[in-house]
């Protein structure tokens, strides 16, 4: 039996968020194949750690706080992580960036010790990560703002095995912009189901 941590990060209402609905559909399909796995779901907007990002007033103890240790330990206890992330202003949502800031801690989730020059060792090799990402623009419009590449890169850096990401792009242009979010999910259902079966 595996433990699966699901991280929702959209600032939109759950019923309007395509990224949230996509992740929920993914978990629904995943449970059909893995009914005994434990699913732990967090809306990052509601966690205490999301209420205070890194700044000059807290930088000195930001990485040593109980909040960092709490979520790092959780990541070491689970086997899989599902991350739902829309693109917000050409990047990941602030709450997701804050979560990453909290858990990307030297000698806890990665290390330079014993690594070769220009390299590091990820300490979260227990994890398999599935990224489910959305963006308003079609893929290719803003390649300099590739939030999926950033997420894949950071989790690879931390030592996780990263599954093929699910990208739902063009949500702010036709045909998706005129569709109900639930209908967008139906349009991507085959891809989501196949990813859930492989995860």
């Amino acid at each position: 039996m595996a433990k699966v941590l699901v991280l929702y990060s959209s600032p939109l209402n759950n019923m309007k968020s395509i990224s949230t609905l996509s992740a929920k559909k993914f978990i629904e399909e995943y449970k059909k194949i893995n009914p005994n796995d434990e699913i732990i779901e967090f809306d990052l907007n509601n966690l205490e750690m999301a209420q205070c990002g890194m700044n000059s007033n807290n930088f000195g103890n930001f990485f040593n706080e109980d909040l960092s240790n709490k979520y790092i330990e959780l990541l070491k206890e689970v086997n899989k992580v599902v991350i739902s992330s829309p693109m917000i202003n050409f990047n990941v949502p602030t709450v997701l960036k804050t979560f990453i800031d909290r858990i990307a801690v030297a000698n806890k989730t990665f290390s330079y010790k014993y690594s070769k020059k220009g390299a590091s060792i990820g300490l979260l090799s227990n994890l398999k990560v599935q990224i489910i990402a959305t963006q308003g623009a079609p893929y290719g419009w803003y390649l300099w703002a590739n939030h999926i590449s950033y997420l894949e890169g950071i989790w690879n850096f931390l030592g996780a095995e990263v599954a093929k990401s699910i990208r739902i792009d063009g949500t702010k242009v036709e045909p998706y912009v005129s569709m109900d979010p639930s209908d967008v999910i139906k349009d991507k259902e085959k891809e989501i189901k196949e990813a859930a079966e492989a995860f």
Side-chain angles (χ1 to χ4, degrees):
M1 183 179 84
K3 285 187 177 182
V4 183
L5 175 64
V6 186
L7 303 176
Y8 302 103
S9 66
S10 176
L12 297 178
N13 174 284
N14 284 350
M15 297 312 295
K16 294 182 179 180
S17 169
I18 294 171
S19 64
T20 299
L21 291 171
S22 299
K24 288 188 177 294
K25 180 62 178 175
F26 179 92
I27 293 301
E28 177 187 318
E29 296 296 334
Y30 179 86
K31 283 180 179 178
K32 291 176 184 176
I33 308 156
N34 305 280
N36 296 320
D37 283 9
E38 179 182 351
I39 311 294
I40 305 164
E41 296 179 284
F42 285 157
D43 182 338
L44 295 179
N45 295 283
N46 299 329
L47 298 185
E48 67 275 31
M49 67 93 212
Q51 307 310 313
C52 187
M54 186 191 311
N55 59 63
S56 61
N57 296 313
N58 68 5
F59 185 79
N61 63 359
F62 186 87
F63 298 108
N64 298 315
E65 292 180 2
D66 290 339
L67 290 179
S68 283
N69 292 333
K70 175 180 177 179
Y71 295 107
I72 289 169
E73 288 308 309
L74 178 60
L75 289 171
K76 290 181 177 179
E77 291 170 6
V78 301
N79 310 102
K80 300 178 180 181
V81 179
V82 177
I83 300 168
S84 151
S85 175
M87 179 187 280
I88 303 292
N89 285 337
F90 309 104
N91 209 329
V92 298
T94 303
V95 292
L96 181 52
K97 177 61 169 72
T98 298
F99 181 84
I100 292 168
D101 285 344
R102 288 281 182 193
I103 60 95
V105 181
N107 300 319
K108 290 185 180 179
T109 55
F110 69 94
S111 176
Y112 297 118
K113 193 174 183 182
Y114 305 122
S115 65
K116 297 176 182 176
K117 184 177 179 181
S120 63
I121 298 170
L123 303 178
L124 294 179
S125 57
N126 58 299
L127 293 178
K128 184 171 184 181
V129 174
Q130 175 69 62
I131 296 161
I132 303 170
T134 60
Q135 62 185 65
Y139 179 70
W141 281 23
Y142 307 109
L143 289 177
W144 50 268
N146 192 331
H147 68 313
I148 294 177
S149 178
Y150 163 72
L151 288 170
E152 290 173 345
I154 192 72
W155 289 99
N156 274 318
F157 174 80
L158 297 174
E161 175 190 350
V162 180
K164 181 182 176 184
S165 295
I166 298 171
R167 178 195 311 273
I168 303 174
D169 59 298
T171 62
K172 297 298 184 185
V173 298
E174 295 294 349
Y176 287 156
V177 71
S178 298
M179 294 168 64
D180 186 83
S182 62
D183 291 327
V184 176
I185 305 310
K186 286 177 186 172
D187 188 58
K188 303 297 283 189
E189 188 170 359
K190 182 175 184 289
E191 181 181 351
I192 292 170
K193 185 176 181 179
E194 287 174 354
E197 289 171 351
F199 194 61

